[in-house]
Amino acid sequence: MSFYENTPARLLAVKAPSTTPPKERPLEAPPLPIDDSDGGCDTGNKTYQAWKRETPLLPIEAGDVVSDRGTEIYNLIAARHIDTVLIMGVHANMCILNRSFGIKQMARWGVPCILVRDLTDAMYNPKSWPYVSHAAGTDLVVQYIEKYWAPTTTSDELMAVLRK
């Protein structure tokens, strides 16, 4: 976040009108269909800071926001009267589900989410249970999200609807 500290997109998130999220709904979190207890890394145990910013191939436009805080995201959802959040990115079994702005937290606040499943990945090591390929592990996580947390779509389906 430090890369974005004083950018217009970050300041929009920080300065959004404060809204108290609704009382959290208690929701069960069934176990994942994969073992990611090793962090899901299939390249060894080396841990490092991989990047400090988003890819410059995705421009941040006027009106866009940058935040890694669930309450800031909720403030923006309320201020902009957003009724459904499209979620994509990495990693479905970790950040997409578990961050303070992820699907589980949004579900607890009653914010409907849709996962764009072809624009995500999972942190999964095929040397761990259920011993399937990385792609199959990602598919299992997507199916888990569909079953317990949120419907999904693809970028093609989304673009087709947006073109209408």
Side-chain angles (χ1 to χ4, degrees):
M1 290 301 294
S2 61
F3 181 87
Y4 298 101
E5 188 172 343
N6 291 308
T7 64
R10 180 73 191 112
L11 295 175
L12 271 177
V14 171
K15 295 178 179 181
S18 184
T19 303
T20 303
K23 182 179 176 187
E24 290 188 12
R25 301 183 311 178
L27 298 173
E28 277 191 49
L32 285 168
I34 61 169
D35 177 3
D36 62 2
S37 61
D38 66 354
C41 183
D42 58 2
T43 60
N45 293 332
K46 183 179 178 186
T47 306
Y48 60 95
Q49 178 70 38
W51 51 79
K52 295 181 178 10
R53 62 169 291 184
E54 295 298 323
T55 176
L57 298 173
L58 296 172
I60 298 172
E61 304 289 342
D64 289 348
V65 296
V66 172
S67 177
D68 65 350
R69 295 178 179 98
T71 53
E72 288 178 355
I73 297 300
Y74 188 84
N75 290 342
L76 291 156
I77 289 168
R80 294 181 176 190
H81 307 287
I82 295 169
D83 60 18
T84 303
V85 175
L86 298 170
I87 299 205
M88 59 202 81
V90 295
H91 289 99
N93 55 317
M94 295 183 181
C95 295
I96 285 175
L97 276 173
N98 297 311
R99 294 287 298 264
S100 65
F101 51 83
I103 289 174
K104 287 180 181 178
Q105 184 58 57
M106 292 298 135
R108 288 183 186 107
W109 285 331
V111 177
C113 294
I114 299 173
L115 175 69
V116 185
R117 66 181 176 268
D118 62 323
L119 299 179
T120 190
D121 189 25
M123 282 293 284
Y124 169 67
N125 182 352
K127 293 179 181 174
S128 298
W129 179 85
Y131 311 104
V132 297
S133 70
H134 182 90
T138 297
D139 288 344
L140 288 170
V141 173
V142 167
Q143 291 167 19
Y144 168 87
I145 291 170
E146 290 172 329
K147 182 174 182 178
Y148 296 109
W149 296 103
T152 69
T153 190
T154 65
S155 56
D156 286 341
E157 292 169 341
L158 183 60
M159 293 308 296
V161 169
L162 293 174
R163 283 188 197 105
K164 289 182 181 182

